[in-house]
Amino acid sequence: MLDYGIYYEFIPMTDFNKGELRNLLIYHKLELGVNYALVITTNAGLWRYLNWRCYFLYYNYPFRIKLAGRTKSCINTFGEELMVHNTDEAILYCLQAE
């Protein structure tokens, strides 16, 4: 839905957690598997809205992002970037190993 008057910008979670909100990226500069906070601007008047959710790019063409969790639930004290989707994948992996 990139042609609906909605402009998407992304902040790498490493920058977001440091409080650096100036280095925003557009979709074609994203890296696969890296977590990003989403900032939305619309032509209807919404300007640089941070929706407090975290996403990661899982496919380049066509552009596809997936919800990874909330920016507030990200544990990143030591650079591990533990997100809800990481714990879900770990539980699934453990269940399949049995």
Side-chain angles (χ1 to χ4, degrees), residues 52-66:
W52 301 105
R53 286 176 177 68
C54 180
Y55 300 87
F56 67 95
L57 178 69
Y58 72 93
Y59 199 74
N60 275 332
Y61 188 79
F63 176 67
R64 299 282 187 254
I65 58 174
K66 189 171 186 180

Side-chain angles (χ1 to χ4, degrees), residues 2-96:
L2 297 175
D3 59 345
Y4 288 7
I6 302 172
Y7 186 70
Y8 300 95
E9 296 174 291
F10 297 86
I11 306 168
M13 284 304 294
T14 52
D15 291 346
F16 182 82
N17 291 328
K18 294 177 189 173
E20 298 176 15
L21 306 179
R22 292 173 288 161
N23 299 327
L24 299 172
L25 304 171
I26 53 178
Y27 73 95
H28 69 273
K29 297 203 179 219
L30 302 182
E31 297 178 31
L32 290 173
V34 176
N35 293 320
Y36 296 95
L38 176 63
V39 179
I40 300 172
T41 300
T42 70
N43 59 7
L46 189 63
W47 187 73
R48 292 206 128 169
Y49 174 72
L50 180 64
N51 73 350
W52 301 105
R53 286 176 177 68
C54 180
Y55 300 87
F56 67 95
L57 178 69
Y58 72 93
Y59 199 74
N60 275 332
Y61 188 79
F63 176 67
R64 299 282 187 254
I65 58 174
K66 189 171 186 180
L67 180 65
R70 298 186 55 81
T71 56
K72 295 282 185 175
S73 68
C74 176
I75 301 171
N76 193 29
T77 306
F78 304 101
E80 69 278 0
E81 290 192 25
L82 181 62
M83 298 294 227
V84 174
H85 81 279
N86 296 112
T87 57
D88 291 345
E89 287 179 10
I91 291 170
L92 285 174
Y93 178 79
C94 291
L95 290 173
Q96 292 172 354

